Amino acid sequence: MSSRVYIENLADYVGREATISGWLYNKRSSGKIRFLILRDGTGVLQGVIVKQNVSEKVFNAFDTLTQESSLRISGTVRKDDRAPGGYEMDVKDVEIIALANDYPITPKEHGVEFLMDRRHLWLRSQRQHAILRVRHEIIRSIREFFDGRGFLLMDAPIFTPAACEGTSTLFETEYFDLGKAYLTQSGQLYGEAGAMAFGKVYVFGPTFRAEKSKTRRHLTEFWMVEPEVAFNDLNDDMDLAEEFLEHIVGKVLKNRAAELKTLERNTKFLENVKKPLPRITYDEAVEILRKKGTSFERGNDFGGTDETVISEEFDRPVMVHRYPAKVKAFYMKRDPKNEDLALAVDVLAPEGHGEIIGGSQREDDYDVLLKRLHEHNLPESAFDWYLDLRRFGSVPHSGFGLGVERTVSWICGLDHVRETIPFPRMIYRLTP
RNA sequence: UCCGCGAUAGCUCAAUGGUAGAGCAUGCGGCUGUUAACCGCAGGGUUGUAGGUUCGAGCCCUACUCGCGGAGCCA
């Protein structure tokens, strides 16, 4: 058997014979000339079958082909601007591998429920290919960014004994004789242990939130990357976040331009993602809301609509820092200049895509942290190991978490995160 | 959990309270450069479920189920 040729490499085969294996994406016929669109996962290729150039058997085989049937076509490769994909094959032979029967996703519009029920098939469409390739590029550039800066990848456990943050609801499961275990909602606390051990680490993995959120920004299972750096203060944390965003957006613009074009993404705002990003305080953000006439009350956290209103003031992501401590997590350090404020930062993506990064400088004083645990009614015993990090050589340290799906949604310009992960898990969807 | 909107052919949608239609998909036929091809013909329905109002309900009313959007919460 000759070496396998993929559609993405067809430029090397112009004027030569090749065999491509794949699935039928679509077909058209016009009398004694027939066209088929083959996809092989790397691209699409238009095959042309002219009756007088092929055997009757091959010509008739075309007529039995149905959408998503698997087949191999052989013939001469030719560049042709008329063809979807840019290349054409003058087909000499068609080998049918398996005929598909009544493939449900036709080349016409479908509803969300219908497509979500068939997500395993929907993944075959060009739009989903583009989104998931951008997702891959984002994940690759995330790892590249941290690996290139000497961060250690530190995997945090999925099963945890207690909440990392008191506020969210946790998925609960039985754990042998040890009682209840919970699916992690953040690897951060373990990341802090890693930072004390290795200086700078990043945790990258799935996280779970049993919130009954039903919005375009929420999944119950989502991926998060969480860097944690010893001796970094809040400003260092923001410096890291903006360099990080510049890196991943830059990589997608450079390496996935074709996919962004498929998605009809206007890249104007993406090209603005260069450091420095605007930094405003919580109070300045509240002032923006006031000026725009919203009924926001100072002291609350921002809702989805508030975030959109704030981000509309900027043509790139904006960092909002120093939130009221009472709306933030127990582990965040207070601002020494104002004990009511937490040294926290949220990065809001433009165009209403909401919070993509949440971070903070962590409380590094043993007594203060213990007090915060009690204030939040968290079981001290479950956090004993975490308190150890303050008993033995505590240092200032900071980190943040970036939600991968929201980032994909923003960069692709989607209106819902459900298409940013192969098999989304949402409050009312567990299948396929 | 709460608020709003929706459910009609395989899919996407029409249909003044009065005979349920179209496009796509499917099947058959036509066309030598098609681009979600096009043209002709055909098959395809207990209008989400259960009640109610009415001479008559896809349409009006009630409840339920499912879905979508949003709120709260959050990345």
Side-chain angles (χ1 to χ4, degrees):
Chain A
M1 180 181 151
S2 62
S3 66
R4 185 168 300 166
V5 178
Y6 286 102
I7 292 171
E8 65 181 350
N9 299 325
L10 277 183
D12 301 336
Y13 288 83
V14 172
R16 293 164 58 192
E17 297 272 319
T19 299
I20 303 283
S21 306
W23 298 264
L24 188 75
Y25 201 64
N26 200 356
K27 66 173 186 179
R28 293 178 273 272
S29 70
S30 179
K32 298 186 173 49
I33 180 166
R34 313 240 146 141
F35 303 90
L36 59 81
I37 311 287
L38 189 77
R39 63 167 193 88
D40 75 344
T42 73
V44 294
L45 167 68
Q46 172 156 284
V48 185
I49 303 175
V50 179
K51 183 164 185 151
Q52 67 192 36
N53 294 348
V54 299
S55 70
E56 197 175 324
K57 183 171 152 260
V58 167
F59 199 70
N60 290 339
F62 174 93
D63 290 333
T64 68
L65 284 174
T66 50
Q67 193 188 356
E68 286 302 318
S69 289
S70 49
L71 65 153
R72 263 188 277 275
I73 60 173
S74 305
T76 311
V77 179
R78 177 162 49 72
K79 188 160 169 53
D80 194 318
D81 292 335
R82 291 174 296 185
Y87 294 93
E88 271 193 355
M89 176 181 281
D90 289 318
V91 177
K92 294 190 181 61
D93 195 21
V94 173
E95 182 196 346
I96 295 171
I97 298 167
L99 288 175
N101 291 317
D102 296 324
Y103 184 72
I105 302 178
T106 60
K108 258 291 189 188
E109 54 205 278
H110 296 287
V112 170
E113 184 187 10
F114 182 82
L115 290 169
M116 290 300 295
D117 284 342
R118 292 158 185 80
R119 180 65 176 165
H120 51 295
L121 303 176
W122 191 18
L123 296 174
R124 302 180 183 195
S125 73
Q126 297 295 290
R127 179 182 159 82
Q128 300 309 312
H129 276 216
I131 294 168
L132 293 178
R133 285 209 175 92
V134 170
R135 178 189 172 93
H136 182 195
E137 185 68 34
I138 288 169
I139 290 172
R140 197 161 61 112
S141 61
I142 285 170
R143 301 181 62 119
E144 183 181 80
F145 178 84
F146 291 118
D147 294 347
R149 281 165 178 73
F151 283 65
L152 182 90
L153 171 66
M154 210 192 74
D155 302 313
I158 304 294
F159 287 128
T160 61
C164 298
E165 307 176 24
T167 51
S168 294
T169 319
L170 294 162
F171 285 106
E172 188 181 284
T173 182
E174 294 293 328
Y175 199 82
F176 303 109
D177 296 334
L178 298 179
K180 305 279 189 213
Y182 305 89
L183 298 187
T184 184
Q185 56 183 334
S186 165
Q188 181 204 308
L189 305 192
Y190 297 96
E192 289 184 53
M196 297 306 127
F198 295 95
K200 44 189 176 181
V201 300
Y202 67 106
V203 177
F204 197 173
T207 50
F208 308 86
R209 308 254 169 117
E211 296 156 1
K212 297 201 167 177
S213 302
K214 196 182 165 312
T215 81
R216 65 185 65 198
R217 303 181 306 279
H218 285 86
L219 300 170
T220 54
E221 176 183 319
F222 65 97
W223 285 67
M224 192 153 66
V225 58
E226 298 171 283
E228 191 73 32
V229 183
F231 303 104
N232 264 14
D233 64 14
L234 183 66
N235 281 333
D236 299 327
D237 205 34
M238 291 193 278
D239 290 346
L240 183 68
E242 69 185 3
E243 265 181 56
F244 175 57
L245 287 175
E246 178 178 327
H247 180 84
I248 61 179
V249 171
K251 287 291 175 181
V252 173
L253 285 173
K254 179 164 173 270
N255 299 329
R256 296 295 164 187
E259 282 76 8
L260 293 177
K261 197 176 168 205
T262 296
L263 296 167
E264 296 177 320
R265 177 62 163 139
N266 182 341
T267 58
K268 201 179 94 196
F269 283 4
L270 295 178
E271 279 151 19
N272 289 340
V273 183
K274 298 265 164 63
K275 65 177 183 182
L277 296 176
R279 298 180 187 189
I280 63 174
T281 63
Y282 170 86
D283 282 330
E284 287 166 336
V286 170
E287 197 48 43
I288 288 172
L289 293 173
R290 284 255 172 78
K291 252 190 269 172
K292 296 239 186 152
T294 66
S295 58
F296 184 80
E297 232 174 280
R298 196 189 174 283
N300 294 335
D301 205 349
F302 302 124
T305 321
D306 302 319
E307 290 177 351
T308 302
V309 171
I310 295 165
S311 70
E312 276 169 357
E313 284 288 285
F314 302 89
D315 63 356
R316 62 200 71 198
V318 56
M319 300 182 165
V320 183
H321 59 91
R322 291 179 167 78
Y323 283 70
K326 62 172 184 177
V327 301
K328 289 292 181 184
F330 76 93
Y331 52 72
M332 295 185 180
K333 192 174 178 65
R334 303 293 174 94
D335 187 347
K337 288 177 191 150
N338 182 348
E339 279 287 315
D340 294 334
L341 298 179
L343 292 174
V345 58
D346 283 356
V347 180
L348 309 181
E351 300 157 274
H353 283 91
E355 182 187 346
I356 49 171
I357 283 181
S360 68
Q361 184 169 340
R362 322 305 188 186
E363 181 53 65
D364 49 47
D365 183 89
Y366 178 87
D367 295 320
V368 175
L369 186 61
L370 187 61
K371 196 175 118 203
R372 300 277 182 252
L373 278 171
H374 291 152
E375 283 169 6
H376 284 77
N377 295 315
L378 294 168
E380 191 182 326
S381 57
F383 290 92
D384 197 45
W385 69 268
Y386 186 62
L387 287 161
D388 263 359
L389 304 177
R390 278 73 180 170
R391 286 189 187 101
F392 306 111
S394 188
V395 299
H397 60 290
S398 301
F400 60 81
L402 170 122
V404 170
E405 287 73 19
R406 282 191 187 173
T407 304
V408 177
S409 178
W410 160 52
I411 291 179
C412 289
L414 309 181
D415 59 10
H416 201 298
V417 291
R418 66 187 155 215
E419 289 178 63
T420 63
I421 186 168
F423 294 96
R425 292 292 173 255
M426 294 175 288
I427 177 168
Y428 294 126
R429 175 163 300 274
L430 191 55
T431 55

